[in-house]
Amino acid sequence: MFILIILIVQAIQFTIKVDQVACMCPDIPQEDICNESKFCKWLDGSCQKLNCTDATDQDWCDRILPNSYKCAWNQGKCDAFTTCSNYIVSQPQECFEKWFCIDGGLTASGLYTCAEQNQQDVDEEQEIICINETNEEGCLGIQKDGNYCFWDSEAQNCTTKSIQNCDDASNTTVEYCKNTSCEWNDSTKECIDLSCDLFKNEGECNLYFNFDLSEVTRCLWNSTTCIDFEITDLPSEQCLNMTLNTYVWNSIQSRCVECAQCQILKLILILILIYI
């Protein structure tokens, strides 16, 4: 009967397909990996979720902690986010790091107050309408319908383009191409899909998103080149961070396993044991 259970579990491992989900802190059994995760802490013999107050610097508070923590840096410490108007910052772009707040304007003290997005209505006269632009310099931006403005040099007018992939962005600008998780090819003057081999140094070789940010591809530096890799081949110290916290090291199987898969297998095994 024990052999039957093992065979069933092994079969499930190869047949179940689930969407990737972020690992929960209790999924991480090792103290060192728990502490390296930047979103968990080891306490009383187990891996537990961080509190906002555990972040000791602004970079950690505003950028590293996952959005589900709803933390924000304020007056020298990290705490739970309250409301945009509670934050006074030195640079207006800092407002965007506090739960999608926007710049609310300069104060008498020389600092900037933050504001809720819905508190500043967009002036209809400032709305971007591509066909209304009469020169190349003004033919910039994205309309409310999501179409991108680009200058047609032959027709000498500003028109729109629906951009659904990197190739569609070839007639836009280099900056827009790169901002949409694509790479600009200087030789062919085309916007192309990213791939691991395009990264030429170890610092860049980690991961990249596809055009609409729905998929992520992981890369690994192999002495001199950047290559695709199998997640299950990652060592324990890289398993969590190199997979955007969606895989965790399984010490029994000695490999990276998907957190969602791990939970389903546990549940199925319990049901099998109960049935038996």
Side-chain angles (χ1 to χ4, degrees), residues 129-140 151-152 155-159:
I129 301 176
C130 300
I131 59 173
N132 289 347
E133 302 299 331
T134 57
N135 56 64
E136 186 173 358
E137 290 73 23
C139 186
L140 297 169
W151 185 254
D152 188 330
Q156 287 294 298
N157 61 18
C158 187
T159 185

Side-chain angles (χ1 to χ4, degrees), residues 18-270:
V18 294
D19 291 335
Q20 285 185 317
V21 297
C23 297
M24 304 299 291
C25 295
D27 293 330
I28 306 172
Q30 296 99 327
E31 180 176 358
D32 55 343
I33 298 177
C34 173
N35 291 329
E36 289 173 2
S37 70
K38 294 292 186 180
F39 65 96
C40 303
K41 62 182 177 182
W42 191 263
L43 185 65
D44 297 332
S46 64
C47 194
Q48 300 178 21
K49 181 178 177 179
L50 280 173
N51 298 314
C52 293
T53 52
D54 290 316
T56 55
D57 58 68
Q58 184 169 359
D59 183 68
W60 188 5
C61 180
D62 287 345
R63 299 182 182 87
I64 298 178
L65 282 177
N67 286 343
S68 60
Y69 284 67
K70 298 184 179 180
C71 303
W73 188 261
N74 191 31
Q75 298 181 359
K77 65 179 182 179
C78 188
D79 214 337
F81 174 81
T82 53
T83 184
C84 293
S85 58
N86 287 345
Y87 301 104
I88 305 294
V89 296
S90 57
Q91 299 295 328
Q93 58 266 27
E94 292 180 47
C95 289
F96 295 95
E97 296 168 355
K98 303 186 188 303
W99 278 84
F100 309 109
C101 301
I102 59 175
D103 170 24
L106 192 64
T107 67
S109 64
L111 299 175
Y112 295 84
T113 183
C114 298
E116 307 288 343
Q117 289 197 38
N118 58 6
Q119 290 181 352
Q120 292 190 352
D121 295 329
V122 178
D123 189 340
E124 291 185 1
E125 294 181 359
Q126 296 178 347
E127 181 183 333
I128 298 172
I129 301 176
C130 300
I131 59 173
N132 289 347
E133 302 299 331
T134 57
N135 56 64
E136 186 173 358
E137 290 73 23
C139 186
L140 297 169
I142 304 174
Q143 293 187 151
K144 290 180 69 174
D145 61 6
N147 287 331
Y148 182 85
C149 299
F150 79 99
W151 185 254
D152 188 330
S153 56
E154 293 184 3
Q156 287 294 298
N157 61 18
C158 187
T159 185
T160 60
K161 186 176 183 67
S162 174
I163 300 176
Q164 304 296 328
N165 52 53
C166 294
D167 184 59
D168 287 341
S170 294
N171 290 326
T172 61
T173 63
V174 176
E175 291 75 17
Y176 181 83
C177 171
K178 292 182 176 180
N179 286 340
T180 50
S181 196
C182 305
E183 179 65 24
W184 184 262
N185 188 315
D186 288 322
S187 301
T188 62
K189 306 300 180 185
E190 292 177 326
C191 190
I192 60 176
D193 293 322
L194 285 174
S195 59
C196 292
D197 60 352
L198 291 175
F199 302 116
K200 301 305 181 185
N201 61 68
E202 187 173 1
E204 296 176 340
C205 180
N206 40 62
L207 55 86
Y208 65 87
F209 290 91
N210 66 339
F211 180 82
D212 62 3
L213 308 181
S214 63
E215 296 179 3
V216 62
T217 299
R218 286 90 174 179
C219 306
L220 189 65
W221 187 255
N222 184 21
S223 299
T224 57
T225 57
C226 189
I227 60 173
D228 292 341
F229 68 92
E230 291 293 332
I231 293 176
T232 53
D233 292 337
L234 282 175
S236 60
E237 64 272 14
Q238 294 181 335
C239 180
L240 195 69
N241 294 332
M242 284 288 288
T243 61
L244 295 181
N245 303 325
T246 58
Y247 283 71
V248 69
W249 182 258
N250 185 306
S251 56
I252 297 176
Q253 299 178 4
S254 295
R255 65 184 181 93
C256 280
V257 297
E258 214 172 343
C259 286
Q261 181 193 66
C262 184
Q263 295 301 317
I264 290 176
L265 289 175
K266 287 179 182 177
L267 176 61
I268 292 176
L269 184 56
I270 291 172

